[in-house]
Amino acid sequence: MEYALLTDVGQKRSNNQDYVNRYTNRAGVDLIILADGMGGHRAGHIASEMTATDLGAAWVDAQLNTLNDVREWFVDVIEKENQKIYELGQTEEYKGMGTTLEAVVVIEQQMIYAHIGDSRIGIVRNEEYVQLTSDHSLVGALVRAGQLTEEEASRHPQKNIITQSIGQQDPVEPDIAIKKLEVGDYVLVNSDGLTNMISTGDIRDILVSEVPLANKAESLIRFANNAGGTDNITVALLHLTEEA
């Protein structure tokens, strides 16, 4: 497995509230976490970084190496973190803080992931991009109900209203799923600062191009910035290069 992680403040924001990192546990299994913070100028940055580093620290200290163990771990640590961020968000300094969360683990060509919010996980296989997650957002719910098309949702004035996040009062209900990977697959984890700016066609073209993985990540960021870069832009790329 090959990895490339990159984040950029974009063209319009003064600070970066996205956070991405990779953590390895005692069994040698990697965890990728991407979080897109929200709240005040400082609070969003704290929410995303704290969530990622708390989960990362717990992961590094664990020895999980089966999909079932990872699933149970996701459910447990995500809700604990949700309550922690919620309680901190009740203070004046961090009022209203919260964050999206994408957490990805690959074990023997099986990817298990947890998803909360409107960051995304997608896969490029056989030169086709498929989005694996559904946005926990107001317009995402309308799309799933057949009341909006994807194109209408992309222009909707309330497209940034999310319906689930780390830091909410109610227990979170993460989408947890498993996807079998094939040799040659590219997995893209990204904040909405990427997919709000560039098309899935551009994403596909970049990922299947004949350049190193790190250059693909740089190209994704550059395309989003060239399109306006209205938000922070963060990507994590995973490439399955050979049989696990």
Side-chain angles (χ1 to χ4, degrees):
M1 185 68 71
E2 190 182 6
Y3 300 92
L5 281 60
L6 197 59
T7 186
D8 189 87
V9 70
Q11 301 294 309
K12 305 294 184 182
R13 300 293 176 92
S14 59
N15 69 325
N16 193 344
Q17 298 192 352
D18 288 358
Y19 192 85
V20 64
N21 213 336
R22 172 184 167 197
Y23 305 90
T24 307
N25 73 7
R26 289 190 284 137
V29 179
D30 289 325
L31 167 71
I32 300 291
I33 296 181
L34 185 148
D36 179 355
M38 64 204 77
H41 182 79
R42 176 171 160 77
H45 164 68
I46 297 296
S48 58
E49 183 172 346
M50 182 178 292
T51 295
T53 53
D54 284 350
L55 267 61
W59 181 259
V60 166
D61 199 40
Q63 198 158 353
L64 307 172
N65 61 2
T66 71
L67 297 175
N68 281 340
D69 285 347
V70 174
R71 180 191 293 274
E72 292 175 8
W73 185 84
F74 277 160
V75 171
D76 180 50
V77 299
I78 288 173
E79 183 50 42
K80 286 179 179 174
E81 192 65 24
N82 178 53
Q83 288 303 312
K84 177 179 178 178
I85 298 296
Y86 170 73
E87 288 167 12
L88 195 56
Q90 302 312 295
T91 65
E92 192 60 38
E93 186 176 7
Y94 302 118
K95 196 161 190 65
M97 73 190 307
T99 183
T100 70
L101 175 69
E102 307 300 323
V104 175
V105 171
V106 178
I107 298 174
E108 295 178 351
Q109 289 190 221
Q110 299 269 15
M111 176 174 69
I112 182 168
Y113 58 89
H115 160 73
I116 297 166
D118 64 352
S119 297
R120 293 179 175 179
I121 301 171
I123 188 168
V124 171
R125 175 181 294 169
N126 299 326
E127 300 193 5
E128 181 182 3
Y129 173 89
V130 176
Q131 186 177 324
L132 299 179
T133 54
S134 296
D135 295 348
H136 294 149
S137 65
L138 180 62
V139 297
L142 293 173
V143 169
R144 288 190 291 278
Q147 296 178 30
L148 282 181
T149 66
E150 290 283 359
E151 186 177 352
E152 289 168 338
S154 69
R155 301 192 304 267
H156 199 282
Q158 294 178 307
K159 70 178 182 179
N160 291 327
I161 297 177
I162 65 173
T163 53
Q164 277 210 84
S165 63
I166 299 290
Q168 65 186 33
Q169 183 174 7
D170 296 331
V172 288
E173 298 178 9
D175 294 336
I176 299 176
I178 293 171
K179 176 73 174 178
K180 182 169 177 56
L181 300 181
E182 299 177 0
V183 172
D185 283 352
Y186 290 95
V187 177
L188 169 63
V189 189
N190 65 272
S191 62
D192 64 343
L194 179 79
T195 38
N196 283 344
M197 290 287 102
I198 70 173
S199 69
T200 56
D202 285 336
I203 289 172
R204 178 201 62 224
D205 291 347
I206 289 168
L207 293 191
V208 301
S209 63
E210 295 292 329
V211 297
L213 198 67
N215 294 85
K216 298 179 198 288
E218 291 166 0
S219 293
L220 290 168
I221 300 279
R222 185 173 66 253
F223 269 56
N225 273 324
N226 288 345
T230 58
D231 199 354
N232 308 144
I233 313 153
T234 303
V235 300
L237 286 176
L238 294 71
H239 183 212
L240 187 60
T241 54
E242 58 185 37
E243 294 285 349

